[in-house]
């Protein structure tokens, strides 16, 4: 039965006598999973050595496609959830092929494979939590990290302690900014920030160019809402109608009715970086994320201040026609508004609360609050600073800081 349903189909795809499935040379976790499972089964069950060798050769070509899903610095464009799934199958295939060929065939010759192995150790907020971008919210699998030692004996699966004050993955334009080691003491506590430029053209994409996350004392308190539960529309033409997949439910500017678009042309342009012990800053031009908007029209500045323990997001918008602008913040937390543009995001007793302060320059403005339904998961509160009338230019700033405890007041 497996010969009929799997092996014969794989042979036909390999020799071109049948149409190849999308994953055959694709740059996604599907490639590692489908090639990996089929070839590992073939190495156990097929008697002909020549036949098995043909399967290995096909997988060798297939893994070149899979490794294209990683950027040059090892960043997994599908997110850590799919790194856990796809990379585990890749590692299992690597070890099986080495065993079958007595190490004559090695599927790890591309240097990006080792960088991809190290990726979860850099793409972590505090050693336990990973950024909640796109269709991903899982932490790195200890089992997958452990398998890395079977492929690279010098690989250490443990997270570094203490974590550095920052990790910057330049290819994906992702900065993870952490408090100083002294402020964190023995525990990974304090205010952390994750800022991204990125692209709206990745697999499992959300339209979230310029998104971010604010973590306080181990809790994701504000910013990107993260993954949603899949539905029949999740991978079809209506995908971005879900506001939590489209840009409306993300903490990015809304230009009148114009939301961010999907596609490989929607890419953040890095304007500048400044990294220092006391302060990190990133500036991005997000204009390409909005169809028909000229370069330089939407510029976002991220600032993480270790000395003050604040994270600031500042937007400057300059358009060729007036529109009603919205500058939202988003959270899964309970929200208590304390004044115009000021609020406290409540931790629910898990840690300190988060103070939020919004301000706008460019016209009179008000705050619009709404709840975005997130079925079978946590709903999202969208709190937006909205210009009362259409304008061509405006700047907006939001500052995040830990609320003082009773003992600190």
């Amino acid at each position: 039965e497996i010969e009929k349903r799997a092996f014969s189909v794989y042979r036909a795809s390999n020799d071109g006598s049948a149409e190849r499935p999308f994953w055959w040379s694709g740059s996604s976790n599907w490639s590692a999973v489908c090639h990996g499972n089929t070839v590992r089964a073939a190495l156990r069950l097929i008697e002909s050595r020549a036949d098995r060798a043909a399967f290995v050769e096909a997988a060798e070509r297939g893994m070149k496609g899979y490794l294209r899903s990683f950027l040059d610095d090892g960043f997994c464009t599908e997110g850590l959830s799919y790194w856990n799934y796809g990379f585990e199958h890749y590692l299992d295939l690597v070890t099986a092929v080495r065993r079958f060929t007595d190490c004559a065939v090695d599927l790890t010759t591309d240097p990006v494979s080792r960088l991809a192995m190290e990726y979860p150790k850099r793409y972590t907020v505090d050693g336990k939590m990973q950024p909640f971008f796109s269709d991903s919210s899982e932490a790195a699998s200890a089992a997958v990290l452990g398998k890395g030692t079977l492929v690279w004996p010098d690989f250490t699966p443990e997270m570094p302690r203490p974590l550095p004050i920052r990790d910057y993955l330049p290819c994906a334009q992702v900065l993870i900014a952490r408090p100083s080691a002294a402020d964190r003491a023995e525990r990974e506590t304090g205010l952390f920030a994750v800022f991204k430029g990125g692209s709206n053209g990745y697999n499992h994409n959300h339209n979230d160019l310029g998104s971010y996350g604010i973590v306080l004392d181990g809790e994701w308190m504000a910013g990107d809402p993260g993954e949603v539960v899949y539905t029949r529309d999740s991978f079809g033409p209506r995908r971005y109608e879900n506001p939590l997949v489209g840009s409306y439910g993300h903490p990015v500017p809304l230009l009148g009715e114009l939301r961010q678009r999907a596609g490989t042309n929607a890419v953040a342009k890095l304007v500048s970086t400044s990294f220092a012990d006391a302060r990190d800053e990133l500036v991005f031009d997000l204009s390409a994320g909005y169809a028909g908007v000229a370069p330089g029209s939407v510029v976002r500045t991220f600032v993480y201040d270790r000395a003050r323990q604040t994270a600031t997001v500042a937007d400057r918008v300059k358009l060729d026609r007036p529109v009603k602008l919205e500058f939202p913040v988003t959270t899964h937390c309970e929200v208590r508004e304390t004044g115009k543009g000021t609020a406290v995001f409540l931790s629910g007793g898990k840690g300190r609360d988060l103070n939020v302060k919004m301000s706008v320059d460019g016209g009179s403005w008000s705050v619009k609050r709404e709840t975005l339904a997130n079925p079978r998961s946590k709903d999202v509160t969208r709190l937006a600073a909205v210009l009362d009338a259409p304008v061509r230019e405006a700047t907006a700033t939001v500052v995040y800081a830990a609320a003082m405890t009773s003992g600190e007041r």
Side-chain angles (χ1 to χ4, degrees), residues 11-344:
R11 286 192 202 91
S13 297
N14 190 34
D15 65 22
S17 60
E19 182 179 357
R20 289 176 173 175
F22 74 92
W23 51 262
W24 188 265
S25 56
S27 54
S28 78
N29 67 93
W30 279 76
S31 184
V33 172
C34 297
H35 278 294
N37 284 337
T38 305
V39 173
R40 286 166 55 221
L43 294 179
R44 285 183 172 271
L45 299 176
I46 292 177
E47 294 184 1
S48 166
R49 188 173 181 83
D51 200 7
R52 287 182 290 173
F55 274 65
V56 169
E57 186 273 336
E60 187 175 16
R61 287 184 283 111
M63 289 307 93
K64 293 178 181 179
Y66 170 61
L67 291 176
R68 288 197 302 271
S69 69
F70 297 90
L71 303 184
D72 288 345
D73 56 8
F75 185 88
C76 179
T77 59
E78 298 184 288
L80 196 44
S81 297
Y82 289 98
W83 180 91
N84 284 338
Y85 187 50
F87 209 70
E88 181 170 26
H89 283 82
Y90 168 73
L91 294 175
D92 288 343
L93 179 61
V94 168
T95 55
V97 169
R98 284 181 177 177
R99 188 181 308 116
F100 171 67
T101 65
D102 197 22
C103 294
V105 177
D106 186 2
L107 304 182
T108 68
T109 56
D110 187 333
V112 80
S113 63
R114 177 57 188 263
L115 294 172
M117 186 73 246
E118 300 283 349
Y119 154 77
K121 296 169 65 175
R122 301 182 63 197
Y123 194 61
T124 179
V125 178
D126 57 4
K128 298 178 181 179
M129 176 187 295
Q130 70 115 48
F132 286 178
F133 296 133
S134 301
D135 286 353
S136 184
S137 65
E138 293 180 8
S141 165
V144 183
L145 290 170
K147 288 182 178 182
T149 62
L150 302 177
V151 176
W152 295 281
D154 63 336
F155 173 73
T156 55
E158 296 80 17
M159 292 290 173
R161 284 288 187 267
L163 289 164
I165 60 173
R166 84 180 61 80
D167 273 301
Y168 182 56
L169 294 105
C171 295
Q173 304 170 331
V174 172
L175 170 68
I176 302 176
R178 307 181 183 97
S180 68
D183 289 340
R184 284 178 272 161
E186 295 300 318
R187 298 175 298 137
E188 294 293 341
T189 58
L191 184 78
F192 299 70
V194 187
F195 303 138
K196 71 183 287 284
S199 167
N200 285 348
Y202 295 147
N203 290 329
H204 296 280
N205 173 67
H206 288 194
N207 288 342
D208 59 356
L209 215 63
S211 190
Y212 60 90
I214 307 298
V215 175
L216 180 61
D217 297 343
E219 296 295 322
W220 188 274
M221 298 290 289
D224 200 292
E227 68 176 357
V228 298
V229 177
Y230 290 154
T231 70
R232 64 183 180 183
D233 294 326
S234 294
F235 297 98
R238 300 184 62 185
R239 175 176 176 82
Y240 298 105
E241 292 180 16
N242 183 336
L244 300 179
V245 179
S247 67
Y248 187 83
H250 289 81
V252 298
L254 178 65
L255 313 181
E257 297 298 318
L258 185 62
R259 306 181 184 187
Q260 287 189 9
R261 58 179 173 167
T264 55
N265 290 328
V267 179
K269 178 182 178 182
L270 180 64
V271 177
S272 66
T273 64
S274 176
F275 299 146
D277 288 348
R279 186 177 184 272
D280 293 336
E281 178 180 299
L282 285 173
V283 181
F284 291 111
D285 182 353
L286 306 182
S287 306
Y290 300 87
V293 172
S297 298
V298 185
V299 177
R300 168 161 281 191
T301 300
F302 295 118
V303 176
Y304 178 77
D305 192 319
R306 288 186 183 83
R308 298 182 179 180
Q309 272 290 274
T310 60
T312 301
V313 182
D315 293 313
R316 177 179 57 80
V317 176
K318 186 175 182 179
L319 304 173
D320 59 4
R321 61 184 179 86
V323 299
K324 286 196 72 173
L325 298 173
E326 296 190 17
F327 302 96
V329 298
T330 50
T331 182
H332 291 289
C333 297
E334 181 183 347
V335 175
R336 184 176 73 235
E337 294 182 67
T338 55
K340 180 182 175 180
T342 61
V344 179

